Amino acid sequence: MQFMLLFSRQGKLRLQKWYVPLCDKEKKKITRELVQTVLARKPKMCSFLEWRDLKIVYKRYASLYFCCAIEDQDNELITLEIIHRYVELLDKYFGSVCELDIIFNFEKAYFILDEFLLGGEAQETSKKNVLKAIEQADLLQENLDFQIRLLPAST
Amino acid sequence: MALKIVKGSIDRMFDKNLQDLVRGIRNHKEDEAKYISTCIDEIKQELKQDNIAVKANAVCKLTYLQMLGYDVSWAAFNIVEVMSSSKFTYKRIGYLAASQCFHEGTDVIMLTTNQIRKDLSSPNQYDTGVALTGLSCFVTPDLARDLANDIMTLMSHTKPYIRKKAVLIMYKVFLKYPESLRPAFPRLKEKLEDPDPGVQSAAVNVICELARRNPKNYLSLAPLFFKLMTSSTNNWVLIKIIKLFGALTPLEPRLGKKLIEPLTNLIHSTSAMSLLYECVNTVIAVLISLSSGMPNHSASIQLCVQKLRILIEDSDQNLKYLGLLAMSKILKTHPKSVQSHKDLILQCLDDKDESIRLRALDLLYGMVSKKNLMEIVKKLMLHVDKAEGTTYRDELLTKIIDICSQSNYQYITNFEWYISILVELTRLEGTRHGHLIASQMLDVAIRVKAIRAFAVAQMATLLDNAHLLTGNTQRNGICEVLYAAAWICGEFAEHLEDPMLTLEAMLRPKVATLPGHIQAVYVQNAAKLFATVLQKHEGETDSQAAQETSQLLIDRLPLFVQSANLEVQERASCILQLVKYIQKLQQKNVEVAEEVTALFAGELNPVAPKAQKKVPIPEGLDLDAWINEPPSESESEDEKPKAVFAKEEPKHSRSRHTEVDEKELARRREARKQEQANNPFYIKASPSSQKVYDAPGVEHIPVVQIDLSVPLKVPGMPMSDQYVKLEEERRQKEKADKKKKEKKKKREKRGKGRKGDSGPESEEDITPAHHVDIVTEEMPENALPSDDDDKDPNDPHKALDIDLDNLLSGAGSRPLADSEKLPVRTHRPEVLKSPAEDRDDNTIPQETKKKSSKDKKEKKKDKEKDRKRSKEDKKKKKKHKDVEEELPESLPEEVVQSEETKEVVTVSSSAAAATVDSSSAAAAESEPEELKDTEPDDTKSSKHKKKKQKKEKEEKEKKKKKRHHHHHHHHSDAGAEDSVQNGTVEDEEPLPPMSNYSLLAENSYIKMMKEDADQVCDIQGNHQDESKVVVSVIFENKSDSFLKSMEFNVLDSLNSKLQRPDGAGPHDGLTVPFQLPPGVSNEARFVFSVQSIVMPQKLKGTLTFIVKTDESSTHEKLDFKLHFTCTSYLITTPCYSDAYAKLLESGDLKGSSLRLEGVNMPFHHLLARICFHHHFSVVERIDSCASMYSRSIQGHHVCLLVKSSDQTVSIDAKCDEPSLLGNVLDEIKQTFSKC
């Protein structure tokens, strides 16, 4: 996978993950172009389109579009599966996820994505394991937060 | 300390956190930019503080802003600061920010190396994990080089969580630092068998990605992956493995055959669509890589097509789309299987989804035949009428034209119909493809002579109704067709019924609203028409009418003389003067028609678009050389030729020659800009300068576009539908006629029956309506073969094309050189060393020690083997052998049988089905071929390695060798003997055994047998300068003594050279890498590099060896002559019949032929012989006629058409290299004269 974009129906970018090194200008250009093309497609259309030399796989969940760019030989259906899995993960983590969850906790959404995909490849196909890793990392973080909060009280 | 923290946390309470920022942005929708700029100012303040918590918060906000599109590169250093925090909370944020914001150009990345290394070795797995994740996004070549070893160590971490990430990130490291691939690969391969399924799947992922790019280096892993495939139940892993096999099969067809069965099983059993789709795709790829027309695989194709049909019929648009996509892949090789689903494809044209309709259109392109073209196009025309939205309609239009014009109008039987289709297409409103239609009209009218009269009539009607088309005068609009119409009417005016009418139509005042280039054609062709009209009138001696015509031109042409378009103006004034002069002559009653017609005499022939490029450069002409001495720099500055309008720029070629430095260039550019700005004649490119029209030209008269919803019918125009009907009737009639004839003729032939004809009429039955003579486009003589080099030199994966095979097995491998080892940090100035780092340092030396001891071991083994190149080859060969052995033995003998034999002897399945252990003669019979049969790039079994192989195998091989010798001695009766042994009854006579081994030299001690040279042609195609040929020689010890120290040497010729190891002199011999005990034989391979392959070669050589008996040892030598036939430069290459037809059509090939009398053998034996001895493959075989194909290692195509009738065989051959062809034919002749 080359990159993954999340954007709203209004065309606002909500999340972006690039697995190929590109400069900011190029990234912006691609994002703009893709958001436009995908939003212009009618709901009954299939989820795939050919774009430059890549294949774009997208899926809409409520008001959010999840959009991945894969290479020519990659499997479209498994990419849809990846998108779906990621949505499920978000859903489990946030508890019936909505767009606002992702906006306000965008770093969490990234952390989950990073536990699920690495360098554009699925690294963990078990949802349980991904969530476990995230929870433990969160725990570590909360403990630290807790300590910091406790310290002033002790003085 | 505590106070500081208190202060920090209080600060934090007042700061905005991320949520506040997001909320704030949402509340300031109107002045978002302003709000954000104040936020950024705040963030800058926060970053200046010492408190890391505040900084982290600021960086987190920046990451959000970065996503919104704001530049945050200025904070890169702060991000690094947050990354280096010891607290996981902040580190996590820091790495996230870095992974989102950093790219290769970020300069602070080089500061992070040590921090990342520290984090990688952190005792906390989440620290390591976060660092790995971040690194995967921003790894640079430097980071990859410095950290490769650390990451490699992590691949063996105790926690699968880390191993998994480390394995995946290795792929990114390989991409950035290809040198790391060789040292890291063994460990990566180990991970394929990791106990943790996640790690295993990660390793599969990485190797699959690597292998997809450079499959040939990973062939040796096939057995391992095969095992994984049959054992794994994880669909994610399965998909990757199957994809990998898809990449490997083109290089190893035998693998493909083994794959078909498990893949079809999966297709039947799986419920996951993604896996099903992947399997279908791979099966298609496998079948494409296998040669065409394999009867036993038609079931697989059928299965795929069936499954795809289910996908296409599914209500899920995604599946429909993918089904069509995969279908189009099958279409390329198995068009027949897809064509039966035409109904389904046509249905898809009605789909709501445009992308599905477009896919269906793509498929239709390949499905047309002479029979159904009209029907399909008729359906498409209906869609054109219905289609809403111009993009899709334009797409339909181009597809219709593509479909009809494909392969030189192959499927069009009635060109009148096609012309009327084109004319109907001109009625499309607002299309952008006027130009395309126009060029088709021109092409057909010029190249199909029979159609000209009809075309001219149609075009005349078009011109007459031009007002219907001129609504849209934009460039490339439909009015472009008038360009074609005017030209056709003018050029072929003799076919016009009423040239006067057309002439009048072409000179209407409305014409002046057309674009300039069309007007120009109008004017020019009006003159041609004028000539025709004159001639007509003079023939009828109607001087009155002739003078009226001149008057018409004189009246109308001034309109064009005033045109703003220079071309129109120039042509018009020229012709006007000419007509005026003619009028004068006419008034004197001088006959002028003949002379006027002479102006336009002669016919224009179509020229191929690439003709110019293909003109070979004459020998001795150097286009880059200077004709005159280049003028010196100073001259060109001062003595510029005076230009009338604008000063000319110095020519490019001049500046290329004289080396001008950057500054000078910049100065000149500036000067030029200045000059252009001041030059009133120079049209500026800048958008500010408005276009100024000097006079209100005719083009700018506003034209009202009339939108007619009812499709227009141009009066008097025939509808294409009528033609469909007519054509049908015609075909019916023809068929009836034919049937009558056939009944009479073929009554006796009925027994044979025609297999392929399932439909009521076959392709061949349809004869074109007219005698169609499609004039081929002209090409220059000795056109150069086209050079297509489509490899992208910038592909990052190219660097990863590294041979890994020799790393994998212990013996005889090329060990890692010292220079190849991953850089290990040794002496770097460090202030602090964490305990973790110490541990890290301890592990590394061990690592290296292990490696170096391994090196030594390997070196020992390699001692006597100094020929690196050929050794590597052998190594690979051995691997291939392994592939064959380790794959489940489902198709034991059959698999190794040659493709060509299979094609020919499809019947002798009973012989092929013989099992391994049964020593039936049928199996044995196929064995000799085994040696020769494998694909050219895949290599042969190397026998001297067989010690390591199973004993059974050894015995078998020995037997085989005996058989070879046996063949050699009794060449003539071998076949008979074998068939006596062979007790099985067969439908068709079995093939006699064939051997390519011939005696090279023999004396009392040793016998040398040479296999007909085999080729090793690098797939990358490095045959520009030279090609490599491998010669296998069998050495057999005939004496009772021990033979050792054998040295093989050849006297190189200019053209052919024995490849010697680096450092060896040009006359040094090569040591044969084995010794021969009494009675033993073994095979060695020698690589030759050859420059020209068009002539056979003979090389003189000597073998020296020591004969050792118990008492003494003597030096002996044996001279031999190596004969390289031209055949040996041919590679068996499968070719599909359509590609073959194209090749023959191209006209690039020179022909030659050969007749063989008294050949007394069945036709299939004959073909098998040519296939076997001369490396051809059968393209198509019909009764006793077959087309065959082969390719030389330097890419020459060789095509044969073999016909046989009563002991006489005629071979018509074509090749792009006549002398090569001649030699090959001679060799074929020789082969048959022997038998």
Side-chain angles (χ1 to χ4, degrees), chain B residues 1060-1076:
Chain B
R1060 296 173 168 90
D1062 296 335
H1067 305 296
D1068 293 355
L1070 283 180
T1071 315
V1072 178
F1074 48 78
Q1075 305 179 333
L1076 288 177

Side-chain angles (χ1 to χ4, degrees), chain B residues 256-265 283 286-287 290 297 300:
Chain B
K257 288 178 200 163
K258 299 231 155 157
L259 278 173
I260 293 284
E261 198 197 316
L263 285 181
T264 40
N265 287 345
V283 169
V286 166
L287 293 178
L290 296 178
H297 291 308
S300 316

